[in-house]
Amino acid sequence: MKPTAKDHHGEQQIDRVRRICLALPETWEKISHGEPTWFVRKKVFAMFSNNHHHDGHVAVTVPAAIGIQEMLIAKAPKKFYRPPYVGVRGWVGIELGQVSDKELALHIEEAWRLIAPKRLQEPRVATGPNNSREP
């Protein structure tokens, strides 16, 4: 079957999301529910949607802090939407054609922070013969 322009666009957007997600510590990817999904340790923090169930969205779905989903959708309804299934838990869909790489990275990084274990988020201090923590 010959790919369509929409399929090609979706593949470009997957690569965009993948690049941002995989730059985060201890992140890995697998297909879940037919779409690329990103995990930190064993918890999901981002799910791709390439016209999933023919809903028209080429988007990434991420968790948002309490109240943020509603605020984003009210402020920019063409950019953000309440996704099925996880929207009731505060996740937000981000239309990838509507956001810059910088804005997308901010949303994905925040989603990672909401899901990643706190110990993983702590700044790491180098130790060793030349980097001792002792005064």
Side-chain angles (χ1 to χ4, degrees):
M1 183 163 140
K2 185 177 177 182
T4 65
K6 186 173 181 91
D7 294 333
H8 181 66
H9 176 69
E11 287 300 317
Q12 289 176 331
Q13 297 294 2
I14 290 169
D15 290 342
R16 212 175 142 210
V17 173
R18 180 177 288 128
R19 183 177 62 251
I20 295 166
C21 288
L22 294 179
L24 297 167
E26 295 193 33
T27 294
W28 55 283
E29 175 184 341
K30 80 171 190 175
I31 300 296
S32 179
H33 300 89
E35 299 280 12
T37 302
W38 291 271
F39 297 76
V40 55
R41 302 233 169 128
K42 294 183 179 182
K43 294 184 176 184
V44 174
F45 73 92
M47 298 182 293
F48 192 78
S49 178
N50 190 10
N51 195 24
H52 197 71
H53 298 301
H54 307 286
D55 64 4
H57 298 290
V58 177
V60 65
T61 303
V62 296
I66 295 170
I68 298 299
Q69 177 204 61
E70 294 82 8
M71 185 269 306
L72 290 171
I73 294 169
K75 183 178 175 184
K78 291 183 179 180
K79 188 185 295 188
F80 302 103
Y81 68 97
R82 184 177 175 170
Y85 311 111
V86 294
V88 297
R89 294 194 323 246
W91 286 52
V92 64
I94 304 168
E95 294 287 352
L96 294 169
Q98 301 290 320
V99 293
S100 67
D101 285 352
K102 183 177 179 180
E103 182 180 0
L104 179 60
L106 290 172
H107 290 293
I108 290 173
E109 289 164 6
E110 180 60 22
W112 182 90
R113 279 191 287 280
L114 287 169
I115 301 300
K118 298 303 174 212
R119 288 184 313 254
L120 188 58
Q121 298 179 47
E122 294 173 1
R124 297 181 185 195
V125 177
T127 58
N130 296 325
N131 297 318
S132 174
R133 288 186 182 184
E134 298 179 283

